[in-house]
Amino acid sequence: MNDDRPVLLETRGTCLHLTLNRPRALNALSHTMVRLLDEALSHAEQDESIGSVLLSGAGDRGLCAGGDIRALHDDARASGRASLEFWRDEYRLNARIARFPKPYIALMDGIVMGGGVGVSAHSGIRVVTERSRVAMPETAIGFVPDVGGTRLLASALGELGTHLALTGRSVGAADAVLCGLADHHVPARLLPALIEALGEPAGQDVSVAGIVQRFATEPPAGELAAQRDWIDSCYAADRVEEILRQLRESGVPAAEAAADELLTKSPLALKVTLAAVRRAARLDSLEAVLDQEFRVSSRAFEHPDFVEGVRARIIDKDNEPQWKPGSLAEVDDQEVARFFAPLGPGEQELGLAPDPTHTPVDEGQAG
């Protein structure tokens, strides 16, 4: 008999194993799942018999494809507010994972996107496999990277994070490690043995990290290391228009392909995303970044590009979104700045950082 609970909990030895259990939906996160994960971590933090936490996804297609995009789309179309409460709890969970006081191991096997990155890439021990595809693809649906993703991408080597944030491209194991989104590569066939080893009693001299390291191998070769020169050069600008110009004039076919790709994304989402990554680099904590992302998500949720992007990419799948505005030149800098302004009357800030109205010093307009 199949267990239809959305999050499965099993204690093996001193390891609490959490399994996202919506395999038909690529383990997409619902609000219920976020709450269950938070409750489990709260319990594990207080329970002295729990020494570590392991996160994995049911099925063999991926850890988690993100939030339930269709539910968010329907809520936005109905002018609802449930999505904001989902993000409020999800971002708090992301912060809890980053500060969790015990070893937290995330098995980032298969597809790991959006919210899936949020529940895995902030953990202390992040494992990818040869099947891993890690991405923050929000600009394709008129949205902006969230779940602390702008901090992760801002921290990547050179301008690799800017490239991934704007294009929304997915990366494999080697590139995920290169970009600081993962720590270890373990072949997928060894994951059952790794899970079993993590649940076995360990000697005093054996750490959880040491157990994972025993199974780790070199990942298959990636692509980004060889592309650092043009990526770091072209994406250094603080305006999307200049980045596009640099990509076009680089003479590098891969750069020109990236430019073509950017022109398929929401112009407004591109400008807000670039500003969000640049601002995240100047904020001093994940909590401050999550506060910023909550404001941005709240504004993006209200904008028609989100509903239109989900319609075109996921529901109708015609891949012909009608963005508003339709070009980068039509995106006003003041409109970009509005995404980062404190929330208005009747709206509640996320408030994770000590001063939720904090903004980065020495701000330049990135857009």
Side-chain angles (χ1 to χ4, degrees):
M1 181 176 179
N2 292 331
D3 193 331
D4 60 359
R5 290 175 298 169
V7 178
L8 306 180
L9 283 71
E10 179 184 8
T11 301
R12 301 184 180 200
T14 62
C15 180
L16 174 62
H17 186 180
L18 306 176
T19 304
L20 305 180
N21 190 36
R22 294 183 67 201
R24 291 184 179 179
L26 274 171
N27 301 316
L29 290 175
S30 65
H31 202 162
T32 296
M33 293 168 74
V34 166
R35 288 172 174 148
L36 289 172
L37 289 171
D38 191 70
E39 290 171 8
L41 292 181
S42 179
H43 169 75
E45 189 171 339
Q46 302 300 321
D47 189 342
E48 294 183 359
S49 69
I50 299 297
S52 63
V53 172
L54 173 68
L55 179 73
S56 67
D60 58 5
R61 296 169 63 200
L63 171 66
C64 175
D68 191 332
I69 296 297
R70 285 177 179 265
L72 296 171
H73 166 272
D74 293 347
D75 189 36
R77 283 196 65 186
S79 300
R81 306 295 289 177
S83 298
L84 302 186
E85 296 312 307
F86 165 71
W87 286 321
R88 189 181 300 279
D89 287 342
E90 183 185 25
Y91 299 176
R92 289 182 179 277
L93 173 64
N94 302 147
R96 178 189 280 277
I97 289 169
R99 307 300 181 208
F100 196 67
K102 300 177 181 180
Y104 180 112
I105 311 99
L107 301 185
M108 301 170 68
D109 183 35
I111 293 174
V112 185
M113 296 184 178
V117 173
V119 295
S120 60
H122 297 298
S123 62
I125 303 173
R126 305 163 299 177
V127 175
V128 283
T129 75
E130 74 281 2
R131 304 187 299 199
S132 295
R133 300 306 300 177
V134 184
M136 297 297 295
E138 286 77 8
T139 56
I141 57 169
F143 204 65
V144 179
D146 64 339
V147 298
T150 57
R151 181 175 176 84
L152 292 166
L153 295 169
S155 301
L157 288 173
E159 296 296 336
L160 292 178
T162 310
H163 173 58
L164 297 184
L166 295 180
T167 63
R169 287 186 181 177
S170 63
V171 295
D175 288 333
V177 174
L178 177 68
C179 293
L181 300 172
D183 305 302
H184 306 283
H185 167 262
V186 173
R189 62 182 174 79
L190 297 182
L191 291 183
L194 171 59
I195 292 171
E196 184 176 348
L198 289 169
E200 293 174 350
Q204 286 186 331
D205 297 330
V206 180
S207 66
V208 170
I211 293 172
V212 174
Q213 189 63 52
R214 287 208 320 256
F215 291 85
T217 66
E218 283 296 313
E223 300 175 358
L224 293 180
Q227 300 177 354
R228 281 286 306 278
D229 285 349
W230 69 262
I231 288 175
D232 288 353
S233 174
C234 294
Y235 286 95
D238 284 334
R239 295 192 68 83
V240 178
E241 293 93 334
E242 179 62 17
I243 289 173
L244 271 170
R245 187 183 71 80
Q246 295 279 359
L247 290 169
R248 289 287 188 217
E249 296 179 359
S250 68
V252 179
E256 294 180 15
D260 291 339
E261 197 170 348
L262 291 182
L263 291 177
T264 69
K265 314 298 183 184
S266 158
L268 178 61
L270 286 176
K271 288 204 169 189
V272 175
T273 294
L274 181 59
V277 171
R278 296 292 189 253
R279 287 170 176 246
R282 300 193 295 271
L283 291 170
D284 58 7
S285 68
L286 172 62
E287 287 78 5
V289 170
L290 288 166
D291 284 342
Q292 171 175 279
E293 290 179 346
F294 186 74
R295 293 182 198 146
V296 171
S297 295
S298 298
R299 296 294 176 246
F301 181 70
E302 299 167 352
H303 196 276
D305 271 9
F306 174 57
V307 168
E308 173 62 6
V310 176
R311 179 206 65 76
R313 307 293 193 196
I314 296 172
I315 297 176
D316 295 341
K317 297 182 180 179
D318 58 30
N319 289 317
E320 294 184 1
Q322 301 300 307
W323 305 122
K324 297 180 180 178
S327 70
L328 290 167
E330 296 174 88
V331 178
D332 185 85
D333 286 349
Q334 290 184 340
E335 175 67 5
V336 175
R338 189 180 74 87
F339 279 70
F340 299 91
L343 298 180
E347 299 178 301
Q348 184 182 354
E349 295 276 357
L350 183 61
L352 285 176
D355 179 7
T357 62
H358 172 73
T359 53
V361 295
D362 191 26
E363 292 181 0
Q365 177 59 50

